Amino acid sequence: MTDADADAVRRIERAIGATGLVVAGVAEGQWVKPTPCTEWDARAVLNHTVGGMRIFAAELNGTDPGAEHESDWLGTDPKGAYADAAEVDRAAWNRPGALDTTVHISLGALPGPTAALIHFTEVCVHGVDLAVATGQQAVLDEELCAELLSVMRGMGGFDAFRVPGVFGPEVQPAPGAAPHGQLLAYLGRTAA
């Protein structure tokens, strides 16, 4: 595994862990809270995230995920569903040659490194969405949020990804915003 590949997997693992801390802290009545991802409440954000984790893992392992992305992946145990998906997801990304795999998702056929960046983005950003929705900003990995923001800004041409329902036009972050707030603002979301 190259250093770049190891960094990509490390980022995904950190995002899975950081989001896991948030998921563990969601109180039972908070699953209906609105999120910065305005079309979804907290449960829908987590369901989408778990679905993505299962689909990416299946693609990396050459298996069938067993359901569509927006199927109900959480059932009656959202926290357990996340923990199970996290284990499968970590193992898939750590499989030898995982980043040599072409991953087929709704965006098309993606080379492994591109798929890894998209997956890192999804898990990290939706973890922030959940944290903001449930008042858990204090447990966020701000260093990881800053790292993702730096990667996005360094990509050049990020505007191609600013489509309705995914990422909106950049908004002004609140004065003195923490890295997670800056990240959400860059993606057209607000942390309020």
Side-chain angles (χ1 to χ4, degrees):
M1 183 180 289
T2 68
D3 288 346
D5 290 351
D7 283 348
V9 171
R10 175 194 58 81
R11 285 178 178 144
I12 290 168
E13 289 180 321
R14 281 185 63 195
I16 290 169
T19 297
L21 287 174
V22 174
V23 170
V26 176
E28 192 55 41
Q30 292 183 312
W31 293 114
V32 296
K33 293 276 193 180
T35 70
C37 192
T38 58
E39 296 176 9
W40 292 331
D41 64 13
R43 189 181 197 287
V45 165
L46 183 62
N47 189 67
H48 174 81
T49 305
V50 168
M53 293 165 78
R54 291 289 190 174
I55 289 168
F56 271 97
E59 280 290 317
L60 292 169
N61 292 326
T63 60
D64 183 345
E68 299 296 318
H69 200 153
E70 300 309 325
S71 297
D72 182 4
W73 295 91
L74 304 181
T76 60
D77 184 11
K79 293 179 184 184
Y82 181 84
D84 291 346
E87 185 177 324
V88 170
D89 200 29
R90 277 190 191 99
W93 286 104
N94 278 288
R95 182 183 56 76
L99 291 178
D100 297 329
T101 304
T102 298
V103 175
H104 300 270
I105 61 172
S106 60
L107 297 173
L110 305 172
T114 302
L117 177 59
I118 289 169
H119 192 53
F120 165 48
T121 301
E122 183 170 79
V123 175
C124 185
V125 172
H126 287 320
V128 173
D129 289 334
L130 283 172
V132 170
T134 60
Q136 296 187 77
Q137 294 92 324
V139 303
L140 287 172
D141 184 338
E142 296 290 1
E143 185 179 292
L144 192 64
C145 292
E147 189 173 336
L148 176 55
L149 181 58
S150 177
V151 167
M152 289 178 157
R153 284 186 172 149
M155 287 173 59
F158 188 79
D159 286 345
F161 298 99
R162 295 185 189 280
V163 296
V166 181
F167 302 124
E170 184 174 3
V171 297
Q172 187 66 34
H180 79 270
Q182 295 173 37
L183 175 63
L184 290 180
Y186 185 73
L187 298 176
R189 300 175 178 175
T190 59

